[in-house]
Amino acid sequence: MSGASLNADGRLGMMLTELRLPTMKRLAADLCAQSDREGWAARRLVETLLEQEMAEREVRRFERHRAISCLSPDKRLSTFDFSAVPTISRANVTALTQGHEWLDRGANILAFGAPGVGKSHLLSAIGHALIDAGRRVLFTRCSDLVQRLQAARRDLRLPQELAKLDRFDLLILDDISYVRRDQAETSVLFELIAERYERKSIAITANTPFSQWGDVFDDTAMTVAAIDRLVHRATILEMNVESYRRRAAQATSAKRSKPPA
Ligand code: ADP
Ligand code: MG
């Protein structure tokens, strides 16, 4: 069979379209020709074609997971400067992303620090690395998710909405401290935490220490219960450094104001 006859209009091409095997369709002509030329055993040709299809399917799956995750594409471990945050060890962060069985236990991550210290960047970076490892991650502002869950509760579909979030191994809730104390809001957040407890992981960034979370969960009993569930088996990342943004701005202005040599 000539190479050209295998292209989109050929019988093989049509069958591969019908079976939704786009990679095999793209490569079939070349690989068949190579196989003829080099006298491959039939099995090798079939295996090579299937291998390519599977590899590309995996790449497409990871791309889909990354698109759905809402992670900023540039907040990666490769762009995170660990030397700026001496309280965080690169080895510990690497351990979280390489050995990710903590996700199977529903363990959590809590990142604390003032605005600008790199909490969102670091958790996004962990999220990307977990997607690379084949896990499912969703990054969302905590207040956005709370609103979505509130709307779901109004429509009497909170359980379904919570169930939808189950497909994510890790939910990254950015800026819990900005959620405000309207009772309806905070109790959906509590329900989310209670629902995922010991089953599915949550990562949270917070500008304020636990002692001020009474502002998030109006009622003291609920605050205590939420914190208790979150910290159980959690990794706590304390990022008590000066704002990276402020330091970067200072470095730039220092450079600018330096008199020419
Ligand atoms: P936070 O969430 O703690 O308020 P961000 O993660 O948003 O802080 O960081 C503020 C900005 O500074 C972002 O653009 C982020 O990419 C950058 N940044 C913060 N810390 C680091 C770091 N250690 N290395 C590289 N960039 C950083
Ligand atoms: Mg942030």
Side-chain angles (χ1 to χ4, degrees):
M1 207 187 282
S2 83
S5 70
L6 290 173
N7 284 335
D9 42 349
R11 199 165 113 75
L12 179 58
M14 272 160 53
M15 290 191 291
L16 292 172
T17 303
E18 183 71 25
L19 290 170
R20 299 205 173 80
L21 298 166
T23 307
M24 283 179 64
K25 183 179 169 183
R26 184 165 48 76
L27 298 176
D30 284 351
L31 283 173
C32 286
Q34 184 178 1
S35 166
D36 286 346
R37 231 176 20 248
E38 299 176 7
W40 290 3
R43 186 195 175 96
R44 177 168 172 202
L45 175 62
V46 175
E47 276 181 358
T48 308
L49 282 166
L50 289 170
E51 247 165 42
Q52 297 286 339
E53 185 68 47
M54 285 173 71
E56 286 203 14
R57 198 170 273 196
E58 183 162 282
V59 169
R60 284 195 299 274
R61 193 173 70 238
F62 284 15
E63 278 168 1
R64 204 165 55 239
H65 290 174
R66 210 178 300 283
I68 293 170
S69 74
C70 299
L71 287 163
S72 306
D74 54 335
K75 309 289 180 207
R76 305 275 185 145
L77 285 174
S78 59
T79 54
F80 190 78
D81 173 9
F82 280 91
S83 71
V85 202
T87 56
I88 303 295
S89 104
R90 183 196 286 273
N92 284 350
V93 171
T94 310
L96 285 173
T97 57
Q98 278 177 358
H100 39 91
E101 71 294 331
W102 55 278
L103 292 170
D104 303 322
R105 292 183 273 116
N108 301 323
I109 301 182
L110 306 171
F112 292 96
V117 297
K119 303 180 297 296
S120 303
H121 187 141
L122 183 58
L123 290 195
S124 302
I126 292 172
H128 276 296
L130 292 171
I131 288 182
D132 292 338
R135 298 297 197 140
R136 306 288 311 268
V137 176
L138 179 69
F139 182 99
T140 169
R141 273 204 303 229
C142 193
S143 52
D144 290 351
L145 186 67
V146 163
Q147 269 181 22
R148 184 168 133 191
L149 294 178
Q150 256 184 304
R153 179 153 67 195
R154 271 196 302 273
D155 303 344
L156 305 177
R157 45 174 189 82
L158 182 60
Q160 291 91 316
E161 200 64 25
L162 291 174
K164 263 198 227 163
L165 296 171
D166 261 10
R167 69 188 156 127
F168 297 107
D169 299 302
L170 179 67
L171 279 188
I172 303 178
L173 306 181
D174 200 27
D175 283 326
I176 193 173
S177 322
Y178 293 147
V179 173
R180 277 295 159 248
R181 59 168 68 186
D182 150 349
Q183 178 59 39
E185 277 205 356
T186 53
S187 79
V188 288
L189 181 55
F190 180 76
E191 277 177 55
L192 172 70
I193 293 167
E195 231 267 320
R196 288 179 76 91
Y197 178 59
E198 289 197 316
R199 265 184 344 100
K200 296 269 167 181
S201 300
I202 297 180
I204 286 180
T205 71
N207 291 334
T208 51
F210 287 134
S211 58
Q212 287 170 39
W213 283 24
D215 290 347
V216 177
F217 301 94
D218 196 27
D219 153 343
T220 313
M222 198 188 276
T223 310
V224 171
I227 293 174
D228 192 58
R229 283 171 177 73
L230 287 171
V231 298
H232 181 64
R233 295 196 183 131
T235 298
I236 298 195
L237 305 172
E238 284 284 358
M239 303 175 70
N240 297 318
V241 291
E242 214 206 316
S243 161
Y244 189 87
R245 253 188 307 246
R246 193 160 54 232
R247 269 185 293 171
Q250 277 163 358
T252 318
S253 70
K255 227 184 270 164
R256 252 196 239 117
S257 60
K258 207 158 87 185

